[in-house]
Every structure is written in structure tokens, then in C-alpha cells.
Amino acid sequence: RQSILVYQSQPATEPVEYEINPFGLAYHKGSLYLVAHSRSHGEIRHFKIDRATEVEVTDLPFKMPAEFDLEAHFAKSFGVYAGAGALDIRVRFLPPVTRYIREGRWHASQRLVDQPDGSLILEMQLSALEEIQSWLLSFGRHAIVLEPQSLRQAIQNEAASMLAHYQPEPMKLDAQNAD
């Protein structure tokens, strides 16, 4: 049934009411997400259940699109974020973390390519970059994004912002310490 969801997204200062057609639920990293067609947005959205403050199930039915498949919807996601694109991801992992990367099944599309220097290249195809970016940052200097350029630039920007927080503050001279 069509529903009304009162929801406060992460950046929002106030809850907002959305008209939705619920399609299914997904569990990711300790949280439950509602996958629904948001009539308000005109597209499928993911709503973290913890951020919903109210839900009203109406008497109005809706027809689930025959082509919608929850598993297929998440097939190109690196978690719960999904996008419409098809992005080729290539990341070089340095030797201190290659064993860990080799032991994991990170994505259905992944391909691992051993390198002569002991590093490992992970290739995969994703539809969104948000979650892969934070995952890669967790490896620090041991993960080097090769493609796409947009992810490489996002990591570079984040690293620069982080570095700025750790720069020493210039020495301040006050009137008492001046000669």
C-alpha cells in the first residue's frame, strides 16, 4: 500500500513527509533500510529506518513494477548506496594489506590482479562511490585509486582536508613575549 513516511535525513534539520511505495527492506552495517519509490522525488530511494519518525499506511494500493528485483537493485552497490551509473573501479593495494584484500569477497564483480611488486589491483564495477570512498580511506596509504579520476580526486580532496586539521598552528607572539 502507498504510505506516508515522516523522515529526517542525515543533513536535514527537520523531518520531511514523503509519499512512498515500499518495495522491500535491506540490512546493512547494523541498520535496516526501506527501499521505496519516493513519489515526492520520482525515483527509488533508500530510507534508514532509524531516521523515520512516523509512517502511515494508506488504503491506496500501488502496483509493484514487475521488473523490480531487490537483489538486482543492489548488484552494483558497494553497500546500500545505489546509483544509475556504471563506474569502473581500479585500486592498487600495497603489500601490507594484499592478503586481507585477497581473503575477502568485496563485490560480485570483483577481479584481483597480482602485480610483480607484490601489490594487488582490485577491479570492480559499481554504480555509486560514496561507500567505496570511505572504505578505501580506511586503508590509508596502502590503497591507491587508479580509476575513476572522480574517485581519485575525491580521495585526494579528503586527504588534503584531513591533513589541514593536523598542520601545526603558527607560533603566536603576544605583547608579553615580544622583545
Side-chain angles (χ1 to χ4, degrees):
R1 301 229 177 258
Q2 290 182 16
S3 301
I4 308 295
L5 177 70
V6 179
Y7 183 82
Q8 186 168 351
S9 67
Q10 175 71 26
T13 56
E14 297 293 326
V16 175
E17 189 174 281
Y18 297 101
E19 294 179 18
I20 61 166
N21 296 338
F23 288 178
L25 295 170
Y27 184 78
H28 178 64
K29 291 187 177 181
S31 293
L32 197 58
Y33 291 83
L34 172 65
V35 179
H37 180 268
S38 168
R39 296 174 53 142
S40 309
H41 296 100
E43 64 185 12
I44 294 174
R45 290 285 180 107
H46 303 166
F47 299 93
K48 189 174 183 181
I49 295 294
D50 299 347
R51 296 182 185 144
T53 56
E54 277 181 62
V55 66
E56 176 190 339
V57 179
T58 71
D59 292 331
L60 301 171
F62 73 91
K63 186 171 179 150
M64 176 80 104
E67 71 278 359
F68 183 81
D69 176 275
L70 193 60
E71 189 173 319
H73 176 71
F74 284 109
K76 292 201 175 183
S77 296
F78 194 78
V80 77
Y81 283 83
L87 303 162
D88 291 322
I89 310 297
R90 291 184 69 240
V91 180
R92 179 184 301 274
F93 287 94
L94 300 181
V97 298
T98 57
R99 182 176 180 182
Y100 178 74
I101 297 301
R102 193 175 282 106
E103 292 171 345
R105 181 75 173 151
W106 307 106
H107 193 263
S109 70
Q110 82 179 36
R111 181 172 168 251
L112 301 174
V113 183
D114 290 308
Q115 301 299 298
D117 65 356
S119 65
L120 180 69
I121 294 180
L122 170 64
E123 299 175 340
M124 60 183 122
Q125 194 171 63
L126 303 177
S127 64
L129 297 177
E130 291 85 354
E131 287 170 291
I132 189 84
Q133 178 179 333
S134 62
W135 183 69
L136 292 171
L137 284 165
S138 75
F139 291 97
R141 63 188 171 94
H142 300 294
I144 303 161
V145 175
L146 304 174
E147 291 179 54
Q149 184 60 35
S150 59
L151 178 58
R152 189 175 169 85
Q153 187 64 55
I155 297 278
Q156 187 178 40
N157 293 345
E158 187 67 21
S161 290
M162 290 172 61
L163 184 61
H165 289 295
Y166 292 95
Q167 293 299 314
E169 291 188 35
M171 296 282 292
K172 295 181 183 174
L173 295 177
D174 60 19
Q176 292 177 341
N177 294 335
D179 287 338

